[in-house]
Amino acid sequence: MRYWMFPALAALLLSAPAAMAERIFIAGDSTAAHYAPDRYPQMGWGMALACNLDGTVTVENRAMGGRSTKSFIAEGRFDAIAKDIAAGDTLLIQFGHNDANQAREERYTPLPAFRVNLLRFIAMAREKGAQPVLLTPVARRSFAPDGSINDSFATYAEVTRAVARETGTPLIDLGYDSRVYVHGLGPEPAKAYFLHYSKEQAQAAGYTRWAEGIADDTHFSEKGARAMASLVATRLQALPLPVSAKVRPQPAANPPTLGGPTCP
């Protein structure tokens, strides 16, 4: 009998589905989103996060420009993550930029509703057996006349921190970390980390999308995206989560510019 059991066992093992790689999902806005090559050097920090992970973890970057918690849910993006996420995955949740935009009704989310929406993201992840992680909204390049950096989304960041405390959800205080980082750069050097190019600079570099120049204090260049991804990874590594052991943070200081989201 044992002579036919071994081939049968081998066939059973070969037919079994391969174990799924561990995944990090990102739910967020334009500061984390993926961009096509024609928008280079614009990159979201989610595009560079994979460079801070070992080869057993993949990134499912579902962040999308212009989305708040309200519009992300309304457009079915929340449901799409709920359909795909599974036990053992991690969900990074970063909103606030567009929730605070009172000029856009489809985006604006008052603070009480913002809190409820964050709770909904957390509950969904836990129901699926995944690990939610809250992130405070990343900083803008916004300096006060005295040289200090403004906290552009302080109220939304505080709600995020409060929800993390109330629910026992791990927190990456990216808002704080990024403000410290950008303040340390200073107003002029920080331009290299955001989309700041004169017409001459853009044309000389071949940035056809920005051929007339651009001065954007919210969205990141490749350098800025890599720096922010390093800040996220450093905090993620320090958390007591299964995925933390698989995080390999790249240095945040003076990140390389490689011409796209490839890893050094």
Side-chain angles (χ1 to χ4, degrees), residues 107-138:
R107 302 179 184 181
Y108 176 57
T109 316
L111 292 172
F114 180 67
R115 177 182 180 277
V116 169
N117 290 344
L118 292 183
L119 291 172
R120 187 172 174 184
F121 276 91
I122 292 166
M124 177 270 287
R126 288 177 172 165
E127 181 181 346
K128 296 291 183 175
Q131 173 63 63
V133 179
L134 290 171
L135 285 73
T136 51
V138 69

Side-chain angles (χ1 to χ4, degrees), residues 20 24 26 58-59 70 82 94 106 160 164 188:
M20 292 181 63
I24 295 177
I26 303 174
T58 60
V59 176
K70 176 182 176 179
Q94 184 217 257
E106 74 279 9
T160 304
E188 285 302 312

Side-chain angles (χ1 to χ4, degrees), residues 139-145 147-152 179 182-183 187 190 194 217-218:
R140 299 182 68 250
R141 179 188 165 275
S142 176
F143 287 86
S148 62
I149 189 166
N150 295 315
D151 189 353
S152 301
R179 288 200 318 279
V182 174
H183 181 262
F194 292 82
D217 291 317
T218 298

Side-chain angles (χ1 to χ4, degrees), residues 79-100:
D79 289 337
I81 292 178
K83 179 178 178 291
D84 295 339
I85 202 167
D89 292 334
T90 301
L91 176 60
L92 304 184
I93 307 157
Q94 184 217 257
F95 289 99
H97 278 243
N98 296 299
D99 295 84

Side-chain angles (χ1 to χ4, degrees), residues 37-62:
D38 70 304
R39 295 187 72 94
Y40 183 81
Q42 182 175 4
M43 285 176 52
W45 61 257
M47 296 175 69
L49 186 61
C51 297
N52 297 266
L53 307 170
D54 73 16
T56 68
V57 185
T58 60
V59 176
E60 286 278 342
N61 189 357
R62 303 295 180 88

